Amino acid sequence: MKPDFRRHGLLLFAVVLLDMIGFGIVIPILPFLSPRLGASDFDIAMIIASYAVCAGVAGPWWGKLSDHIGRKPVLMICTSGAAVAYLILASAESLAMIYVARAFAGLMAGNFGVASAMMADITPPAERAKGMGLIGASFGLGLVLGPVLGGLLSGPEGSFFVPCLLAAVMSVLAVIAAWLFLPESHHRDKTLPRDDAANKQSLWSVLRKTQSRLLMLQYVWHTSSVSAATYLFPLWVYALLDWSAREVGIVFGVQGAIMALTQGLLMGPLVKILGELRLLRVCVSGFFVGLLMAVFATGAVSMVGSVLVALTGATLCFPVLNSFASQRSAPKLRGRMMGAASAAAAWGRVLGPLLAGLLLTVGGFRLAWSLPLVMVAMYWLWAFSRWPKRPVPTFD
């Protein structure tokens, strides 16, 4: 029997939440752990980029694999790999080990695309944005609990072994929960012949036929801007306000709470009131306004406020993009489509920190904050163009 949205959507939410708590734990500590081992500001950007490059390379492959063997085993494999990566990070005694840990974590980072494909499997199109919002809410709650735990457990002396070890434990718990409770959502009918022609299509061909190439570009702009902001914020408040991992963790925790509230509770009603496209346009506009505030912010209130406004707008954009992507793919190719979206997002996480780190080195924080502002301006232009309104392709 095919899983239903109400029951099994909540189970998927719980599994992703456990994994995201582990992911969130390391967010506030990496910018402080790395300099202890000789890293510069640009090295920190490169460490973030190493994760994203590997995730961008591996994402489509994990999605394609889930189309063949099912979503559940791929989720369990990826989450197990994340646990190993956290253990490597916990034992890091050199900058090279941090690079290895984050690169390996990136190679195993197929969960977002596969979890999105699983949610698309169990939700009808009318409920798709709401279902994607539930996945986003699990990310948000993970970013509430994870960074707060990471900041608090690092302590005043900055001990990073315990937070990384706890991240590994949370990933192991996610694997166990998936194994025991999560049903498979993707069942290929083995009585039908294999569609070898579809399997051999290149990813570019799939995106062209489904009219999704410009849509994938928006994932790049979106995550470039979010990752640039996430990279810049700890360095910004450390340089101007002398904040530590504890304060950064609290701010990211507050943002995660906002993310969980808006995606978990407000996404469904907002889509019903505004429709997916109008909601996207409103939220991209908020994203742009927050980044514009960041360019000119100087004090603690304006600095924190600008980031919260920008990331809250970004938070509500992403489920809509995922809904668009999932509706443009046939069920037999859905894993590949969502894997492609995940990979495009990962490449954005490469581009954002690298360019922001370069601009920060050259011209300071105001110039660096101008980068995501320009990217979101292009995102905004696409949202208000005719391209998002093009008809969804039909499938045989």
Side-chain angles (χ1 to χ4, degrees):
M1 183 176 65
K2 190 173 181 179
D4 65 273
F5 169 51
R6 294 185 183 277
R7 178 184 173 190
H8 297 109
L10 291 176
L11 287 172
L12 180 59
F13 167 87
V15 170
V16 175
L17 173 61
L18 286 172
D19 186 41
M20 281 307 300
I21 290 173
F23 177 81
I25 284 172
V26 304
I27 288 176
I29 68 175
L30 273 176
F32 298 93
L33 169 62
S34 304
R36 291 188 173 190
L37 300 176
S40 65
D41 286 351
F42 193 70
D43 280 317
I44 296 172
M46 289 294 291
I47 289 166
I48 296 171
S50 67
Y51 174 93
V53 166
C54 292
V57 170
W61 186 83
W62 288 120
K64 186 175 181 179
L65 183 64
S66 78
D67 285 335
H68 288 290
I69 69 171
R71 317 294 188 209
K72 179 176 175 176
V74 174
L75 283 175
M76 293 174 63
I77 292 169
C78 291
T79 307
S80 299
V84 174
Y86 295 138
L87 291 176
I88 297 172
L89 190 63
S91 60
E93 296 179 353
S94 67
L95 188 57
M97 288 184 70
I98 294 180
Y99 274 104
V100 169
R102 298 311 290 157
F104 182 70
L107 289 174
M108 305 304 294
N111 275 356
F112 182 78
V114 176
S116 297
M118 179 177 272
M119 184 60 76
D121 290 340
I122 64 176
T123 51
E127 298 280 348
R128 192 65 51 79
K130 180 179 178 181
M132 295 302 177
L134 195 60
I135 293 290
S138 65
F139 274 65
L141 282 176
L143 294 177
V144 172
L145 300 175
V148 171
L149 285 173
L152 293 177
L153 292 176
S154 65
E157 284 138 14
S159 172
F160 301 114
F161 176 78
V162 173
C164 293
L165 184 61
L166 180 60
V169 171
M170 298 306 296
S171 292
V172 171
L173 290 176
V175 174
I176 295 171
W179 177 45
L180 293 177
F181 304 115
L182 191 64
E184 179 56 63
S185 67
H186 182 68
H187 300 280
R188 187 174 67 85
D189 189 346
K190 296 182 179 180
T191 64
L192 298 176
R194 289 175 59 90
D195 190 348
D196 291 330
N199 292 332
K200 292 178 181 178
Q201 288 185 76
S202 68
L203 181 58
W204 184 254
S205 176
V206 171
L207 295 180
R208 179 180 59 80
K209 290 181 179 179
T210 58
Q211 304 173 14
S212 301
R213 289 174 293 181
L214 280 178
L215 176 60
M216 292 298 114
L217 185 59
Q218 308 320 307
Y219 281 89
V220 177
W221 298 144
H222 182 104
T223 56
S224 289
S225 304
V226 171
S227 59
T230 304
Y231 160 71
L232 287 170
F233 181 73
L235 302 175
W236 196 34
V237 295
Y238 173 74
L240 274 66
L241 304 176
D242 197 29
W243 281 13
S244 67
R246 183 185 296 268
E247 289 83 6
V248 172
I250 290 171
V251 172
F252 281 135
V254 170
Q255 178 55 46
I258 295 172
M259 182 178 180
L261 176 65
T262 53
Q263 294 201 30
L265 299 179
L266 299 181
M267 177 58 66
L270 286 174
V271 168
K272 288 181 179 179
I273 293 170
L274 298 175
E276 290 184 347
L277 181 57
R278 191 174 298 167
L279 176 61
L280 178 67
R281 289 170 170 173
V282 170
C283 295
V284 172
S285 299
F287 197 0
F288 180 84
V289 168
L291 291 172
L292 183 63
M293 292 167 58
V295 171
F296 299 102
T298 54
V301 173
S302 59
M303 290 165 69
V304 173
S306 65
V307 171
L308 292 180
V309 170
L311 294 185
T312 299
T315 286
L316 286 169
C317 294
F318 213 65
V320 179
L321 288 182
N322 279 338
S323 179
F324 286 171
S326 68
Q327 292 179 56
R328 289 182 174 272
S329 55
K332 62 187 176 184
L333 295 174
R334 186 170 286 148
R336 193 185 301 189
M337 176 66 78
M338 300 313 297
S342 179
W347 286 113
R349 285 188 279 272
V350 177
L351 185 65
L354 283 179
L355 291 181
L358 179 61
L359 292 178
L360 178 60
T361 303
V362 171
F365 286 105
R366 181 163 291 179
L367 180 62
W369 278 113
S370 298
L371 170 72
L373 180 66
V374 171
M375 290 180 171
V376 173
M378 291 187 284
Y379 190 9
W380 186 91
L381 288 172
W382 173 82
F384 280 86
S385 73
R386 65 186 177 88
W387 291 101
K389 295 185 287 187
R390 298 193 71 170
V392 176
T394 57
F395 306 101
D396 296 333

